[in-house]
Amino acid sequence: MPRIHEVKILPEYFDAVEKGVKTWEYRFNDRNYAVGDVLILHEWKDSGYTPRRLTVKITYIFSDFPQLPDGWVIMSIKKLQGGKIKC
């Protein structure tokens, strides 16, 4: 069953995901990410959360590559329709 992970994201990366330019995430895999899981990206600015959020789905996970540090993954992500919440 897919899981939901709430994670921080810096404004410049948030904007790139929002525009559809950034379609991947490079993260330490301390949450056992899996294809089909959902990430709720919470914008983090100036030591705190902003009201901006994006919801994306993990579509592919790239791991176990010699040049990737142990425990790190690159995940392909797809922005979900209606997953953007602005307060």
Side-chain angles (χ1 to χ4, degrees):
M1 172 163 251
R3 291 171 292 157
I4 298 172
H5 307 276
E6 298 193 30
V7 296
K8 296 177 188 174
I9 188 169
L10 296 175
E12 58 268 30
Y13 304 126
F14 182 96
D15 291 339
V17 173
E18 183 178 40
K19 292 174 186 171
V21 176
K22 183 175 179 285
T23 59
W24 54 272
E25 276 293 305
Y26 175 66
R27 299 251 172 195
F28 187 69
N29 195 12
D30 58 344
R31 299 168 181 243
N32 295 316
Y33 296 112
V35 171
D37 284 358
V38 170
L39 303 179
I40 299 176
L41 304 174
H42 294 267
E43 185 183 45
W44 179 265
K45 184 177 180 182
D46 300 327
S47 301
Y49 290 110
T50 73
R52 299 198 314 161
R53 312 274 186 272
L54 284 173
T55 306
V56 300
K57 184 176 183 176
I58 300 171
T59 59
Y60 184 81
I61 297 179
F62 185 71
S63 61
D64 299 325
F65 186 72
Q67 282 73 17
L68 274 176
D70 284 343
W72 288 80
V73 295
I74 299 171
M75 300 176 282
S76 293
I77 57 172
K78 182 177 181 181
K79 190 167 63 166
L80 296 178
Q81 287 288 50
K84 180 175 155 186
I85 302 169
K86 280 195 173 183
C87 298

